[in-house]
Amino acid sequence: MNVAHEVELLVTHIKRLGKQGADGKYAVTFGEMFDDDDCANVFEALVGTLRAAKKKKIIKYDGELLLQGVHDKVEITLLTDN
């Protein structure tokens, strides 16, 4: 698995699914990403990709580990698309 490539795909999907705020940053909820068919087909381990992107400070969200159902309303914000 190429983590850098997975993170690039994540950025694309956050922009596709998310809404752009007044600050120009895109945000999407974990539930929207988890339930999206395209994301399900692309990401073998969505949570792992999210954690890798958070560690690289590309995205931010509250908490460490996101679980489907429990954290569906947690907002994931795209900090940079580099």
Side-chain angles (χ1 to χ4, degrees):
M1 179 170 94
N2 183 345
V3 176
H5 179 67
E6 292 269 320
V7 171
E8 285 177 32
L9 290 173
L10 182 69
V11 168
T12 302
H13 284 280
I14 290 173
K15 285 183 173 181
R16 179 178 63 82
L17 293 170
K19 302 203 179 0
Q20 195 170 19
D23 59 0
K25 295 179 180 171
Y26 287 86
V28 63
T29 65
F30 176 66
E32 288 175 293
M33 288 204 73
F34 193 89
D35 292 336
D36 183 70
D37 288 337
D38 286 340
C39 285
N41 291 330
V42 170
F43 300 106
E44 215 171 290
L46 176 60
V47 173
T49 304
L50 288 169
R51 288 184 72 181
K54 183 177 181 179
K55 191 174 183 178
K56 294 176 185 257
K57 300 192 183 323
I58 293 171
I59 62 169
K60 74 172 183 174
Y61 57 84
D62 291 335
E64 279 297 312
L65 181 66
L66 297 176
L67 301 172
Q68 194 263 335
V70 178
H71 299 113
D72 283 354
K73 296 196 186 309
V74 172
E75 189 170 83
I76 299 165
T77 304
L78 183 61
L79 300 176
T80 179
D81 54 7
N82 295 343

